[in-house]
Amino acid sequence: MSAFTLTNARLIDPETGEERLGGITVEDGVITARHEGEPPADAGTVMECNGLCLAPGIVDIGVKVCEPGERHKESFGSAGQAAAAGGVTTIVTRPDTTPVIDTPETLEFVIRRAREAAPVRVLPMATLTKNREGREMTEIGFLMDTGAVAFSDGDHVVTNTKVLVRALTYARARGALVIGHIQEPVLSAGAAVTSGKFASLRGLPGVSPMAERMGLDRDVALLEMTGAAYHIDQITTARALPALERAKANGLDITAGVSIHHLTLNEFDVADYRTFFKVKPPLRSEDDRVAVVGAVASGLIDVICSMHTPQDEESKRLPYEAAASGAVGLQTLLPAAMRLVHSGDMTLAQLWRALSLNPARRLGLDCGRLGEGAPADLVLFDPDAPFVLDRANLLSKSKNTPFDEARMQGRVRATWVAGRQVHGDAL
């Protein structure tokens, strides 16, 4: 692969927290140099960025790709194209497929399909327990050897604490990362919205925000017992934040994420039973949203993810309580996240710390940064470009986005994976 240089770019460096005008040189898929001003004489092909933002590619933890079993909702090909168009260079896929990814054989199939079809990096998770039933842990060691980067039962909470303790203990022995969903399952069962006045006025079954706090308290206690590495898929309420802060202060190996939908939407967006806004956990109050945005800016919450969950039209065109939960987010993650910058809630460097650097570090990856020697996984974007989103133009097979017809800012102009351009026009 020949060398090339991207010059006159606004470099977003989450590692140093800086934004500055400059450029980078890429050779054999790796960043070999950074410069300010004119590019060096041996820079190879020079590409002019015209002052657009250049940042590490997004690392998205918790993407659902519906292979095997529901390819009509999303395939590795369509998810990979959507990711590239959204500036996502690494997707970490969930194992809640049909069938679930709980054996080395199923995991091998997923890895092979992803390698054949997706233009971006795909790192698969496997389930923590067999068939996500919470009764018997999977063969964590064999699955790690096959290529699993983390273990999760998705939104199925393991209620048998003895099984969970065994799984966490074994995961710690093998150095495996466990990703958990911290909603107390009995209180959360059947809930469609967050409890409160709005839920009562709409006549919808709700769940108290305290269910999240209770789930977190239980899992923190088990982490104190086992010392396992643990990542919370989503923290969405203010009441859970003090418990997370205490757990980190006590030295537990715990990190937390939040979806872009919970950072930019609130419970009132459901309005008159708009099922594209039905996600899991349900959208929260504006006070909760503001608190969680502040936690991301301060670094208490480590990761922002899309929580990409494709659903077909039939499963969404139902009464709100019966409709499927979830929204697609690979292609809308970046422009939706730019709302947090344009509102003054965080800087681009803070945002990319949560979108790229922190998830990469949590998974032990070398990407997510612009330093010399880092993989050339890059996104070039215009942070101010306005547009109205048309869900028909999304590259995902499923179009269940809550941002349909929303006014947004932030367009991806080009995406590179290992120095190979996978999206955008030639510069």
Side-chain angles (χ1 to χ4, degrees):
M1 184 182 296
S2 60
F4 66 90
T5 292
L6 299 165
T7 189
N8 192 27
R10 182 179 163 193
L11 301 179
I12 311 300
D13 190 342
E15 201 169 24
T16 63
E18 296 178 335
E19 301 176 29
R20 62 174 60 184
L21 197 66
I24 63 170
T25 298
V26 174
E27 188 172 357
D28 294 328
V30 174
I31 298 172
T32 57
R34 287 175 57 172
H35 67 270
E36 297 181 14
E38 293 298 319
D42 58 348
T45 303
V46 177
M47 304 179 187
E48 172 64 45
C49 296
N50 296 309
L52 297 178
C53 292
L54 183 65
I58 296 170
V59 180
D60 194 2
I61 297 179
V63 174
K64 183 170 182 179
V65 179
C66 304
E67 288 190 68
E70 296 177 303
R71 198 169 182 273
H72 65 285
K73 293 184 180 180
E74 193 79 285
S75 67
F76 281 106
S78 59
Q81 293 294 335
V88 178
T89 54
T90 300
I91 58 176
V92 183
T93 58
R94 306 205 309 259
D96 52 339
T97 50
T98 307
V100 300
I101 303 170
D102 61 357
T103 65
E105 293 78 16
T106 310
L107 183 59
E108 284 177 354
F109 166 81
V110 166
I111 292 171
R112 185 174 63 254
R113 283 290 301 137
R115 189 181 298 121
E116 293 169 352
V120 300
R121 303 182 193 271
V122 178
L123 303 177
M125 289 190 255
T127 61
L128 187 64
T129 67
K130 293 183 178 179
N131 204 34
R132 298 201 302 151
E133 293 176 347
R135 295 185 296 197
E136 183 181 358
M137 71 177 185
T138 53
E139 297 173 325
I140 292 174
F142 290 150
L143 288 163
M144 286 185 70
D145 293 342
T146 305
V149 298
F151 296 84
S152 174
D153 278 357
D155 59 5
H156 284 195
V157 177
V158 180
T159 57
N160 188 320
T161 52
K162 186 172 290 187
V163 170
L164 184 54
V165 165
R166 288 171 179 166
L168 290 170
T169 302
Y170 190 80
R172 182 196 177 189
R174 287 301 306 260
L177 175 66
V178 175
I179 297 181
H181 185 72
I182 56 161
Q183 303 299 314
E184 202 288 320
V186 177
L187 284 176
S188 301
V193 292
T194 300
S195 60
K197 183 177 180 180
F198 178 80
S200 298
L201 289 173
R202 290 294 183 270
L204 293 171
V207 57
S208 169
M210 190 57 75
E212 184 168 282
R213 165 69 184 278
M214 293 169 66
L216 176 58
D217 285 342
R218 184 202 72 156
D219 286 6
V220 166
L222 299 184
L223 294 180
E224 291 179 359
M225 290 176 61
T226 62
Y230 191 76
H231 177 74
I232 302 163
D233 63 353
Q234 296 184 80
I235 282 188
T236 61
T237 65
R239 290 182 176 181
L241 296 176
L244 174 63
E245 189 171 19
R246 287 194 299 271
K248 287 190 170 187
N250 290 335
L252 298 182
D253 190 358
I254 186 171
T255 53
V258 61
S259 85
I260 191 60
H261 304 113
H262 289 91
L263 290 172
T264 56
L265 305 170
N266 66 30
E267 60 185 347
F268 296 121
D269 287 300
V270 172
D272 294 324
Y273 309 101
R274 298 166 69 187
T275 59
F276 278 15
F277 289 83
K278 184 180 181 182
V279 293
K280 188 181 287 188
L283 294 175
R284 305 301 193 181
S285 70
E286 178 64 7
D287 288 342
D288 280 327
R289 188 196 70 82
V290 170
V292 172
V293 168
V296 174
S298 70
L300 177 58
I301 291 180
D302 308 87
V303 172
I304 298 173
C305 61
S306 70
M307 202 49 63
H308 180 82
T309 305
Q311 300 288 3
D312 53 27
E313 296 284 332
E314 290 77 11
S315 63
K316 280 291 188 182
R317 301 296 186 190
L318 293 171
Y320 195 91
E321 187 175 348
S325 297
V328 294
L330 282 169
Q331 210 167 333
T332 55
L333 175 56
L334 187 149
M338 290 307 303
R339 291 181 173 185
L340 305 173
V341 175
H342 293 306
S343 64
D345 290 309
M346 61 186 73
T347 66
L348 280 169
Q350 288 175 314
L351 180 62
W352 247 259
R353 178 186 65 194
L355 285 173
S356 191
L357 180 64
N358 285 347
R361 284 179 169 173
R362 192 47 166 151
L363 295 167
L365 308 176
D366 199 29
C367 56
R369 57 193 185 91
L370 292 181
E372 294 182 14
D377 296 354
L378 305 166
V379 55
L380 182 72
F381 65 99
D382 184 341
D384 302 313
F387 66 99
V388 176
L389 183 77
D390 182 353
R391 71 188 186 98
N393 295 329
L394 296 177
L395 298 179
S396 294
K397 287 188 175 183
S398 296
K399 313 295 182 182
N400 54 306
T401 174
F403 298 115
D404 187 34
E405 299 183 355
R407 297 180 183 273
M408 309 189 84
Q409 283 180 277
R411 278 192 179 276
V412 174
R413 298 303 185 188
T415 306
W416 292 264
V417 175
R420 180 174 65 90
Q421 189 169 349
V422 295
H423 173 75
D425 299 327
L427 299 182

